[in-house]
């Protein structure tokens, strides 16, 4: 069964995310450059006097139509990577059901 996967990743981890796709056997994907935004509340700003009210992050969206079996391997690899990565923005993955695929 074909599903659509979407990974969001900070630009600095793009090569790592691509390596994980390849390791999972997902050899075809597309990318979109985007800017991520995070709005902080007053309490978060007061705790860190270096903070501003928002943070903009250079990010990437990687997506692919792929088989369920490969997705299971990718999830395992991403969990391992995110546990070991020294990053405040882990790689995120969404798996979407595809009703029809032509």
């Amino acid at each position: 069964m074909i599903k659509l996967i979407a990974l969001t990743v900070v630009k600095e981890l793009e090569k790592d995310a691509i390596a994980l796709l390849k390791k999972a056997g997902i050899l075809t994907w597309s990318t979109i450059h985007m800017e991520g935004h995070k709005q902080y509340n007053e309490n978060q700003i007061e705790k860190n006097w270096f903070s501003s009210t928002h943070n903009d992050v250079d990010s990437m969206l990687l997506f692919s139509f792929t088989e369920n079996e490969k997705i299971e391997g990718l999830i395992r690899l991403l969990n391992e990577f995110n546990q070991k990565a020294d990053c405040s923005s882990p790689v995120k993955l969404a798996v979407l059901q595809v009703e029809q695929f032509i």
Side-chain angles (χ1 to χ4, degrees), residues 1-2 7 10-11 16-17 19 28 32 34-35 38 40 44 53 55 58 62 69-70 77 86 88 90 93 100:
M1 176 182 289
I2 296 289
L7 289 90
V10 293
K11 179 68 175 160
D16 295 309
T28 305
I32 298 173
M34 60 186 185
E35 189 172 281
K38 183 172 184 176
Y40 295 102
Q44 292 170 314
T53 57
N55 187 23
D58 196 20
L62 294 85
E69 298 78 29
K70 292 179 181 178
L77 291 168
D86 185 25
S88 61
L93 170 69
Q100 295 182 355

Side-chain angles (χ1 to χ4, degrees), residues 13-102:
L13 296 178
E14 179 186 14
K15 289 182 181 178
D16 295 309
I18 290 171
L20 293 171
L21 286 172
K22 290 178 180 179
K23 193 171 184 179
I26 301 168
L27 305 178
T28 305
W29 66 90
S30 298
T31 59
I32 298 173
H33 180 259
M34 60 186 185
E35 189 172 281
H37 306 278
K38 183 172 184 176
Q39 188 72 38
Y40 295 102
N41 65 38
E42 255 183 63
N43 191 34
Q44 292 170 314
I45 296 168
E46 290 173 2
K47 289 181 180 180
N48 182 356
W49 60 285
F50 289 109
S51 291
S52 64
T53 57
H54 66 279
N55 187 23
D56 298 332
V57 180
D58 196 20
S59 303
M60 301 300 293
L61 172 67
L62 294 85
F63 60 97
S64 177
F65 291 98
T66 192
E67 299 84 17
N68 198 46
E69 298 78 29
K70 292 179 181 178
I71 295 170
E72 292 170 11
L74 179 61
I75 290 170
R76 189 184 75 257
L77 291 168
L78 282 172
N79 281 329
E80 291 171 8
F81 177 82
N82 284 336
Q83 288 175 359
K84 295 176 184 175
D86 185 25
C87 180
S88 61
S89 295
V91 179
K92 295 178 179 73
L93 170 69
V95 179
L96 301 140
Q97 192 72 26
V98 176
E99 286 188 36
Q100 295 182 355
F101 184 78
I102 299 173

